[in-house]
Amino acid sequence: MNPLAVSLNRLQLKNPVLVASGTFGYAREMAPYLDLSGLGGIIPKTVTQQPRIGNAPQRTVETSSGMLNSIGLDNDGLETFIEKHLPYLTSLGTAVIVNIAGKTIEEFVQMTERLAPLSGIAALELNISCPNVTGGVDYGTNPEMAFELTQKVMAVSPHPIIIKLTPNVTDVTAIAKAVADGGADAVSLINTVQGMAIDWKRRKPILGNVIGGLSGPAIKPVALRCVHQVAQKVNIPIIGIGGITTFDDMMEFFVAGASAIQVGTTNFFKPGQSQNLLQELKAYVEHTNLPSITSLIKTLELPTVKKC
Amino acid sequence: MPTTPRQVTAPVEARAIVVSNVEIAAHTYRLRLACPELATRFQPGQFLMLRLPGRTDPLLGRPYALYDTYADAQGNTVGFDIGYHVIGKQTGLLTELIPGQVVDLWGPLGNGFPQFTGKHLACVAGGIGYTPMIAMTLEALGVKTYGQSTTPASPERRVSMLYGARSKSHLAQLHELESLPNATITVATDDGSAGHKGFITEPLDTLLAKGEVDAVYCCGPELMMKRVAQIAASHNVPCWLSLETPMACGIGACFSCVVKVKEDSEDGWDYKRSCIEGPIFEAEKLLLS
């Protein structure tokens, strides 16, 4: 038995190291830097039903141990994705999780139906949490809408469904519970944290879109908190995302309650790091004779705290 | 056409050792890195991403153009130089690097300048933008080769290097080009402390008016490149610009570094990633803001 294998309801992965949407292009760009077939899964850049030109530059800016982006889901639309990128992705020998975003439930459902008969897709990840476009993020901040969306997509999808959640809410567990009730196979969290950068001398925002999403090591504590809260309150497999750069970062997410993780912003500054993390995880499992990586998940020991 | 698109080799991720780090003009440094994996692949106009290991602030790599490669005593290409101008957090930290320290790199990246196969090339540089012009000139004049590319040699081929900076103290010495009979160097400074007083675009206009130049390659501040493109167009000389747009990854994954490139579509343009489809673009295909 493969000790690295994990299952997230209907989604089976050969290992828990995935790469996050929007940080890995369409995988072709990353091919020079690592063996793509080794990864637990690849989540290409978000695709929308129609092409989107994206936001005006400047689209990214570095901040302390992190970066802000406001790319705005720049992509060529679902048909081009299916024609140009999907055949390559499905040839790689790893799980392909197609990340989709819609402005309405109908758009999500139509995209899901379009992808339904296609072979080689391991799962769909629904981006209901992009802070840089109008529309789709409402599903990530309103439990009733998140529930309805999940239920309607589940009804037409033969593929496992993952819902990617935003941390930009008062209570992330309420949204996670809603999508779990809607039947989702898993949640992935977190998407970026809303943020802003200012050039005070010019009295101008640095990003063309004014506000963007913060990612990178700076947001790891926020991500760990969200994973922990959802793991404690909601019975649904979690894919942890947020500032994972090192082996220790990754292990913290497993202990907090993530069944798998996604390497995101790190792909931008250490293009081969997801493969390094996977190798370190393999070495750890061998070294400790761990029968299964799943025995690490949600092993956090909480102190018994008396609330005053 | 006096140019041929370049064949480039796949990039690699590598660790390089600092060999030297010398200030060559005001706030301008030349950093020599031992890294055969990249050095043997690097071509003029291509760039690499560099970051300091073991820290998350600065987090991302920054793009630097190839300045020139260098060889060991046996003639094997073992490393290369980049130039940097101190402007921010990372370049500030770069000045502290000493020989023996390591940096993380990935590259070579981008398309590079097209190979020049014409008669007379004008390289127009502003400030730190002169660095990619050194290797470009050496290749065009048949002095050196880079990566897998070989440009057919021609004894009649000439390169005019036009180099503008703020003042004399901001000008780097172009030692590599000074001794070459077929290279001409023209300098301009804003304050007239060296060479032509004013913008380098003025001597460019005069040069192009002679009708001998068959291509212009340019790297420098955006306003200068825009003006260079206008001048080249007015003389019907093809012109290539090396763009420096803010990048997060340099490898096409992040979609930050987009520029407006003309195309047959409803809007007449589309965003293209300057790291992958550039950083060198034909000026007439760009919609410069």
Side-chain angles (χ1 to χ4, degrees), chain A residues 111-235:
Chain A
M111 291 178 80
T112 305
E113 285 173 334
R114 178 70 182 89
L115 290 163
L118 304 182
S119 61
I121 297 172
L124 303 187
E125 183 181 64
L126 273 52
N127 180 0
I128 60 165
S129 45
C130 179
N132 299 322
V133 298
T134 48
V137 76
D138 300 339
Y139 297 104
T141 55
N142 178 320
E144 289 77 30
M145 287 170 77
F147 171 77
E148 189 189 346
L149 173 69
T150 307
Q151 214 181 28
K152 290 200 165 145
V153 168
M154 287 296 293
V156 296
S157 179
H159 299 117
I161 295 294
I162 304 162
I163 313 284
K164 186 167 179 176
L165 302 183
T166 175
N168 304 313
V169 289
T170 310
D171 181 7
V172 69
T173 65
I175 311 289
K177 181 159 189 319
V179 304
D181 291 347
D185 289 86
V187 288
S188 49
L189 56 141
I190 56 174
N191 204 323
T192 56
V193 181
Q194 276 194 305
M196 187 173 181
I198 289 174
D199 180 345
W200 75 268
K201 289 173 188 161
R202 290 169 58 235
R203 307 291 197 273
K204 289 204 161 112
I206 292 177
L207 294 174
N209 195 44
V210 184
I211 284 171
L214 181 65
S215 65
I219 69 162
K220 193 185 78 172
V222 179
L224 279 173
R225 183 267 296 172
C226 289
V227 168
H228 164 69
Q229 287 181 322
V230 172
Q232 295 296 319
K233 275 201 175 173
V234 187
N235 185 24

Side-chain angles (χ1 to χ4, degrees), chain B residues 33-272:
Chain B
L33 298 167
C35 185
E37 302 97 305
L38 260 79
T40 50
R41 295 160 187 247
F42 234 142
Q43 298 188 50
Q46 286 195 290
F47 67 99
L48 57 75
M49 295 295 282
L50 180 150
R51 76 183 294 273
L52 300 167
R55 57 193 304 157
T56 58
D57 190 12
L59 181 70
L60 303 171
R62 300 284 188 278
Y64 298 93
L66 169 68
Y67 190 142
D68 199 4
T69 57
Y70 72 91
D72 63 10
Q74 287 73 46
N76 300 312
T77 302
V78 290
F80 56 88
D81 298 351
I82 56 168
Y84 63 93
H85 187 230
V86 181
I87 44 165
K89 203 187 274 180
Q90 203 210 45
T91 48
L93 290 167
L94 287 186
T95 64
E96 295 169 15
L97 286 173
I98 55 169
Q101 286 185 309
V102 294
V103 294
D104 285 341
L105 313 170
W106 53 105
L109 303 166
N111 53 359
F113 285 113
Q115 288 188 75
F116 183 69
T117 48
K119 289 203 169 105
H120 191 162
L121 172 67
C123 292
V124 189
I128 193 67
Y130 81 96
T131 54
M133 300 308 181
I134 304 296
M136 188 59 236
T137 302
L138 296 175
E139 184 193 67
L141 295 180
V143 179
K144 280 181 84 165
T145 59
Y146 298 89
Q148 307 303 313
S149 288
T150 47
T151 303
S154 164
E156 288 94 49
R157 190 172 298 144
R158 293 189 307 164
V159 176
S160 291
M161 173 80 176
L162 297 102
Y163 176 25
R166 250 183 287 171
S167 71
K168 191 179 176 184
S169 67
H170 289 87
L171 282 170
Q173 291 295 308
L174 308 179
H175 298 294
E176 295 88 344
L177 310 187
E178 280 162 3
S179 58
L180 301 175
N182 284 10
T184 316
I185 301 170
T186 305
V187 161
T189 51
D190 296 355
D191 61 3
S193 53
H196 172 80
K197 182 178 191 301
F199 295 127
I200 195 66
T201 45
E202 291 147 14
L204 174 70
D205 200 13
T206 312
L207 175 69
L208 296 191
K210 292 179 187 166
E212 292 167 1
V213 169
D214 42 16
V216 173
Y217 292 177
C218 178
C219 182
E222 207 173 304
L223 269 177
M224 180 198 122
M225 291 204 285
K226 206 172 168 180
R227 182 74 191 118
V228 167
Q230 286 166 351
I231 293 169
S234 73
H235 295 282
N236 285 317
V237 180
C239 176
W240 279 262
L241 306 180
S242 176
L243 300 190
E244 193 188 359
T245 48
M247 286 177 190
C249 68
I251 57 181
C254 74
F255 288 69
S256 303
C257 61
V258 293
V259 289
K260 287 181 181 177
V261 176
K262 291 176 197 170
E263 68 162 35
D264 291 331
S265 65
E266 210 174 296
D267 302 319
W269 61 273
D270 194 12
Y271 280 132
K272 302 284 180 190

Side-chain angles (χ1 to χ4, degrees), chain A residues 248-283:
Chain A
D248 289 332
D249 294 337
M250 172 174 66
M251 299 305 272
E252 289 165 20
F253 276 85
F254 292 138
V255 169
S259 301
I261 57 102
Q262 294 177 18
V263 180
T265 297
T266 301
N267 298 318
F268 293 157
F269 63 89
K270 287 188 180 186
Q273 185 67 355
S274 52
Q275 178 172 289
N276 298 338
L277 294 180
L278 179 58
Q279 281 164 355
E280 286 183 72
L281 186 61
K282 267 183 197 159

